[in-house]
Amino acid sequence: MRSHNTSEILFKRASRVIPGGTYGHIAPASGLPRHFAHFCSTGHGAFFHDVDGNEWIDFMCAYGAVLHGYQNPRIEAAVEKQRKLGSIFNHPNEVVVELAEKLTQVVDFASWSVFAKNGSDLTTWAIRVAREQTKRPLVVKALGAYHGVDAWCDPGLGGRIDSDRSDVVEFEWNNLNQLEDIFKQKKNDIAAVILTPYHHAAFAPSEMPTEDFWSQVRGLCTENGSLLILDDVRAGWRLHAGGSHRFFNFTPDISVFSKALGNGYAISACVGIEAVKSAASEVFLTGSCWNDAVAMQAALSSLTMCVEGNVPQSVMTKGQFFSERLEQLAKGFNYSLKMTGPPSMPYPWFEGDENLFLIQKFCQLASKQGLYFHPHHNWFISDAHDQESLKKSLELAGRAFEELDS
Ligand code: PMP
C-alpha cells in the first residue's frame, strides 16, 4: 500500500500559508485528490518520486514542461556550466542572442524572438503586439481554449470584471462558419486570431483540425489584415521540430512557446515575422528574472537536441506504440478507450463516459500501480520513455483494468 501521509501533512501546512494549499491546474480538485501526491521530491528520466518516497512512472512530464526526461544529463551539464558563471546580471548574457538566432533558424517564418518566463507572459504580450501592429482592439479565440492566467482568457471567474472580456470574441473549434460570421461582422476590428495547433481542452477529448481548417483560418486573417497567433505553449516540440504549424502545414505570423522549450527550466519565447518586428519593439516587455542565462542555456540545449534527434518524431512514435496498445488492452476488457489528439500528447476518453466516472476510476486504480495517468488533462510522452518503461506501464495498466472489471 502506497502511503501519502507526508504529502497530506505537507498539504495541511500549505493550506495554512498558501491560498488553496496548491492552486491552479495542480489544485487537488483538478486531478485525483487522495490518489495523487500533492508534492514531489525528485525525478529521473520517465520517473518521479513523491514526498512519501513513492515511485511513479510519469505520463504528465510536469504538464509537458519536460520533453527529454527529468534531469537529462546533456541539459543538466549545460545548466551546471552556466550556473557556475551566474544567472542574472544587469544586462543579458550572450546566450540570449544565441537562443534567438537558434529559434529563427529552427522556426521557418521567424525573423525575431523575445523571451520571458511563462506562456501567459507572451500570449498576452503577443496580443498587444497584434493591437500595436493593426491598431485594432479585438481578439478572436476558440471557446474553451486555454491561453494563460490573464483576465482576457483565464478559465476562472474570480476577480474578473466585464470589461476584461469586452474585446474577446469566441467561436467553436472547427466551426469555420462561425469564424467567417465573426469576420463579416467585425471585419475592421480584429487585431488577431489566437489558436492552439489543435484543440486540447481539459475535461474533454482532444479535437484535431478538420482538413481545411488551417488554410481557411490563415486565409481569413490574411484577407482581413488580422494577425494569426499560434499558441504553441503546450504542443510546441512534441509535434514537429520546426514548430507545430509545420505538422499542420500552415504559417502563422507569431508563435508562442514555453513548456518543453526549457526541459523544466522556466522560459518562454515568442517568435514572429519580419513585418511585425517594429510593432514588437514598441510593446514594453520585461520581468525581474527574465534574462535568466541558466534557463536559456537549458533551452538552447533542449532545442538543439530536439532538432538533432528529431525528438518530436521520436515521442510521436513512442506515443503511438503506447496509445495503440492501451486501447487494445481496454478492448480486451470490453471498454472502448480512445486516445484522442496526437499520440505524443494523448487525451484518454472512454466512449460514453460523459460523467467522467470511468476515467476517474481507471486512473485511481492505475495510481495504485504507480502510474501517473491524469483523468482530465492530456498526457505527455517524453523521450525518456523507453520500451521498458512503456511495456511496464502497459502491464501495470492491465492490472488496473482487471481491478476495474472485478
Ligand atoms: N497556452 C497553452 C496552450 C497552455 O497549455 C498554457 C499552460 N498550460 C499556457 C498558454 C500558459 O502557459 P503558462 O502556464 O506557462 O503561463
Side-chain angles (χ1 to χ4, degrees):
M1 189 66 185
R2 293 156 70 88
S3 156
H4 289 288
N5 290 346
T6 311
S7 178
E8 293 296 325
I9 292 166
L10 209 47
F11 188 77
K12 279 193 191 123
R13 276 174 58 199
S15 301
R16 279 183 219 120
V17 288
I18 300 171
T22 56
Y23 43 85
H25 63 293
I26 44 128
S30 311
L32 282 180
R34 292 185 307 280
H35 299 275
F36 286 170
H38 300 295
F39 299 93
C40 303
S41 60
T42 186
H44 282 278
F47 301 84
F48 74 90
H49 284 87
D50 64 33
V51 283
D52 284 280
N54 300 306
E55 184 176 80
W56 298 81
I57 310 184
D58 186 25
F59 284 86
M60 284 307 284
C61 299
Y63 284 76
V66 171
L67 174 66
H68 304 281
Y70 294 104
Q71 299 200 56
N72 177 276
R74 185 165 160 191
I75 296 170
E76 293 309 311
V79 157
E80 220 28 65
K81 199 170 157 200
Q82 184 61 48
R83 216 193 311 267
K84 286 197 181 110
L85 296 170
S87 181
I88 314 274
F89 313 97
N90 291 337
H91 298 276
N93 182 272
E94 68 178 281
V95 65
V96 70
V97 183
E98 288 175 49
L99 186 56
E101 284 171 351
K102 183 83 187 166
L103 274 163
T104 54
Q105 283 156 18
V106 166
V107 181
D108 55 2
F109 68 86
S111 74
W112 55 266
S113 178
V114 296
F115 303 98
K117 282 280 159 200
N118 294 290
S120 310
D121 302 333
L122 292 179
T123 48
T124 295
W125 181 80
I127 296 297
R128 293 181 59 205
V129 171
R131 286 178 173 153
E132 174 63 24
Q133 172 80 11
T134 59
K135 307 293 180 205
R136 298 170 176 180
L138 295 188
V139 173
V140 179
K141 69 182 277 290
L143 261 169
Y146 184 68
H147 298 294
V149 295
D150 292 312
W152 67 270
C153 62
D154 83 315
L157 294 171
R160 203 197 288 167
I161 54 174
D162 289 347
S163 60
D164 288 333
R165 300 284 162 110
S166 56
D167 290 318
V168 178
V169 189
E170 296 185 308
F171 74 106
E172 276 166 36
W173 177 266
N174 271 340
N175 191 334
L176 287 164
N177 291 337
Q178 267 183 19
L179 184 62
E180 271 164 16
D181 284 348
I182 292 171
F183 267 101
K184 265 184 217 146
Q185 284 161 26
K186 314 273 183 189
K187 206 174 159 61
N188 297 319
D189 290 327
I190 300 172
V193 175
I194 182 166
L195 293 168
T196 52
Y198 71 97
H199 194 49
H200 44 56
F203 295 93
S206 294
E207 269 182 80
M208 295 301 249
T210 50
E211 185 86 25
D212 58 347
F213 179 77
W214 279 117
S215 62
Q216 297 282 335
V217 173
R218 176 69 272 182
L220 283 168
C221 288
T222 306
E223 276 163 37
N224 291 279
S226 310
L227 294 189
L228 176 54
I229 301 172
L230 182 65
D231 176 352
D232 215 358
V233 169
R234 194 182 309 182
W237 324 118
R238 272 191 171 82
L239 302 192
H240 194 289
S244 303
H245 61 287
R246 300 278 299 278
F247 188 79
F248 293 111
N249 200 21
F250 70 97
T251 306
D253 300 303
I254 289 178
S255 277
V256 182
F257 302 98
S258 189
K259 298 224 180 232
L261 179 61
N263 205 57
Y265 289 86
I267 187 160
S268 54
C270 179
V271 305
I273 56 170
E274 184 63 31
V276 294
K277 192 173 172 197
S278 168
S281 68
E282 291 298 322
V283 185
F284 195 67
L285 181 66
T286 189
S288 298
C289 293
W290 286 10
N291 285 309
D292 170 1
V294 169
M296 289 185 184
Q297 290 290 2
L300 194 59
S301 294
S302 174
L303 197 51
T304 304
M305 287 167 67
C306 194
V307 175
E308 274 175 16
N310 199 352
V311 169
Q313 182 57 55
S314 169
V315 289
M316 199 66 96
T317 308
K318 290 173 189 205
Q320 181 108 29
F321 168 87
F322 181 71
S323 290
E324 278 173 12
R325 277 158 188 80
L326 194 63
E327 286 178 357
Q328 282 162 14
L329 200 58
K331 208 168 167 196
F333 288 91
N334 288 322
Y335 294 110
S336 178
L337 172 69
K338 294 271 175 293
M339 299 297 274
T340 66
S344 52
M345 38 193 300
Y347 185 104
W349 185 255
F350 284 107
E351 265 174 14
D353 188 30
E354 301 305 324
N355 61 8
L356 309 175
F357 178 82
L358 199 53
I359 188 67
Q360 280 235 347
K361 191 77 198 159
F362 173 64
C363 293
Q364 275 175 27
L365 296 172
S367 78
K368 279 169 60 181
Q369 303 292 336
L371 290 171
Y372 201 88
F373 286 174
H374 201 294
H376 308 308
H377 193 286
N378 69 272
W379 302 355
F380 294 92
I381 304 294
S382 87
D383 212 25
H385 284 103
D386 55 11
Q387 282 287 311
E388 197 185 328
S389 55
L390 292 178
K391 282 183 180 157
K392 182 76 191 163
S393 302
L394 289 164
E395 184 196 319
L396 296 172
R399 290 194 208 155
F401 275 121
E402 266 166 34
E403 205 176 335
L404 188 62
D405 223 22
S406 62

